[in-house]
Amino acid sequence: MSYRGRFAPSPTGPLHAGSLVAALASWLDARAHGGQWLVRIEDVDGPRCVPGAERQIIDQLAACGLHSDAPVIRQSSRGSTYQAALERLLQQGDAYPCACSRQDIELALLAAGTPRERHQAATYPGTCRPERGGLLGRPARAWRFRVAGLGHVEWRDRRLGAQSQDVASAVGDFIVRRADGLWAYQLAVVVDDAEQGITHVVRGEDLADNTPRQILLQQALGLPTPRYLHTPLVMGANGEKLSKQNGAHALDLGNPLAALNVAAQALGLPASASDDLGSALGHWIGAWAERWPA
Ligand code: GLU
């Protein structure tokens, strides 16, 4: 097996203590297995991207001694590849256009006696499925992957162990191209991981429940499923996951070794007393290899 891993940040802000954990873990896993590590900029959601954040992230990674082994790719330049994947799904009957607005979905769920629970995303009720008449003359807004009948996915996460999700009841037919014309993360990530030959995905645990949707897309597109390892999340003082949305500070890279030591600790690795970046990273590669065989 030739190992290929990746770190795939969305440039919605600079790296913070939480995202450094995912970056370091994915890099250590690649190095511990003699593999390559690629950086991919996930800028499909243009309106959420912050000018300058990509440069900042790359500079922050470099300050920590983490360098992509291949030129960095950007999702914003890959629309035609995502379009080809969508066309294949449409041809196979695995995707369909949808005319429903958010309000249409809420009303349909209400009418079916299964209203959306507060703070939960709505499970799409299947209104525009072809067997229910499709668009019925309404214009397409978004495109959905057809989960119906495929719902139950089981997989093994290297850290979390056996996992399963009934995608049909948890999320229903999910969006692969959004009403605003943007590509959905689920489709872009699956197409890119396959095209870049990614064998191992190491990323934050907040993304674990996306994995079953990605596995369904991989299967429908005839793509291999990488191995997954979801890393522990770093919690902020308020007990919530540290994220750009809840005000996590950009990493202060005046002292990259201090930032890396904190990230290593979050990953359960021993602290490094070294004041040399290369030897600290080498120390963690050894510790990682023992802890997480591929
Ligand atoms: N772009 C996603 C994020 O920054 C990560 C996607 C992934 O690793 O699959 O949260």
Side-chain angles (χ1 to χ4, degrees), residues 6 8-10 42 185 189 203 207:
R6 49 56 158 197
S10 305
E42 300 215 317
Y185 156 66
V189 80
R203 60 184 178 192
L207 293 165

Side-chain angles (χ1 to χ4, degrees), residues 4 9 13 20 38 42 52 58 61 66 69 83 91 114 121 141 143 222 247 265 267-268 272 274 284 286:
R4 276 192 138 198
L20 183 63
L38 313 184
E42 300 215 317
I58 303 284
L61 291 171
L66 314 180
D69 293 319
Q83 182 66 40
Q91 253 167 25
T114 51
R141 292 167 52 90
W143 277 260
Q265 197 186 10
L267 291 166
S272 163
S274 171
W284 290 317

Side-chain angles (χ1 to χ4, degrees), residues 37-212:
W37 182 75
L38 313 184
V39 175
R40 179 172 75 226
I41 298 293
E42 300 215 317
D43 56 355
V44 263
D45 193 348
R48 286 188 56 229
C49 295
V50 171
E54 172 185 333
R55 185 71 261 153
Q56 240 178 324
I57 292 172
I58 303 284
D59 290 348
Q60 289 173 308
L61 291 171
C64 290
L66 314 180
H67 303 274
S68 182
D69 293 319
V72 171
I73 70 158
R74 281 169 206 84
Q75 292 187 322
S76 54
S77 63
R78 295 180 41 74
S80 55
T81 313
Y82 306 143
Q83 182 66 40
L86 174 59
E87 275 161 24
R88 172 162 175 188
L89 294 174
L90 287 166
Q91 253 167 25
Q92 294 173 174
D94 287 322
Y96 61 88
C98 172
C100 297
S101 64
R102 210 165 280 186
Q103 198 191 15
D104 294 333
I105 296 173
E106 302 253 339
L107 289 174
L109 289 171
L110 210 58
T114 51
R116 177 174 69 85
E117 310 225 354
R118 261 169 80 88
H119 307 304
Q120 289 235 320
T123 302
Y124 184 62
T127 318
C128 293
R129 276 190 199 142
E131 71 270 24
R132 290 178 56 178
L135 294 172
L136 298 171
R138 295 166 302 158
R141 292 167 52 90
W143 277 260
R144 289 182 183 273
F145 179 76
R146 198 187 142 81
V147 176
L150 303 171
H152 190 78
V153 177
E154 293 186 359
W155 84 102
R156 176 165 286 279
D157 184 272
R158 289 166 58 204
R159 174 174 155 261
L160 302 171
Q163 303 287 304
S164 69
Q165 186 186 70
D166 184 59
V167 185
S169 60
V171 281
D173 295 352
F174 57 88
I175 289 191
V176 284
R177 185 165 199 176
R178 298 169 18 173
D180 54 11
L182 297 178
W183 294 101
Y185 156 66
Q186 310 295 351
L187 183 73
V189 80
V190 159
V191 168
D192 289 344
D193 281 341
E195 198 165 293
Q196 294 193 293
I198 300 302
T199 57
H200 291 71
V201 170
V202 178
R203 60 184 178 192
E205 194 175 326
D206 54 324
L207 293 165
D209 66 353
N210 289 266
T211 309

Side-chain angles (χ1 to χ4, degrees), residues 233-251:
L233 300 181
V234 178
M235 299 300 169
N238 59 1
E240 281 183 17
K241 179 206 142 191
L242 205 58
S243 72
K244 293 161 202 163
Q245 285 72 30
N246 68 20
H249 299 297
L251 283 181

